[in-house]
Amino acid sequence: MKDSNYIKIYTGDFIIVQRIVTELEAIDINPIVKDQTESARLAGFGGGIVPGFQEIFVNKDELDTAVSVVQSITSELGS
């Protein structure tokens, strides 16, 4: 996603990623979730470096709000 309007805001396991995505969507932010392990599996290659980990990207215009959501959730979880 180089040279795009999207910035990675979080990398973590599926459960936390889904919680963040739900919270972002609740405030009308539509994140993009990238799962390299699943993409590699579907393409017939081996798994990724860290299986089960996903990345969340948001539009640059929504960055500040999205980062606040991530910080709130991760501090609540103690991550």
Side-chain angles (χ1 to χ4, degrees):
M1 292 194 156
K2 292 181 181 172
D3 299 329
S4 79
N5 287 326
Y6 288 85
I7 296 176
K8 180 169 49 172
I9 60 165
Y10 184 78
T11 300
D13 68 59
F14 173 80
I15 294 169
I16 297 172
V17 166
Q18 290 306 304
R19 168 118 187 257
I20 292 169
V21 167
T22 300
E23 295 290 329
L24 291 173
E25 289 175 343
I27 57 172
D28 293 325
I29 294 177
N30 295 309
I32 294 175
V33 177
K34 186 175 180 182
D35 184 338
Q36 292 188 4
T37 303
E38 184 65 7
S39 295
R41 185 190 69 77
L42 291 172
F45 301 106
I49 297 171
V50 183
F53 271 60
Q54 299 176 331
E55 300 170 316
I56 301 174
F57 293 81
V58 296
N59 190 289
K60 290 178 185 178
D61 297 338
E62 303 166 323
L63 181 63
D64 292 336
T65 305
V67 168
S68 295
V69 170
V70 170
Q71 289 174 341
S72 173
I73 291 170
T74 56
S75 67
E76 178 183 309
L77 297 172
S79 299

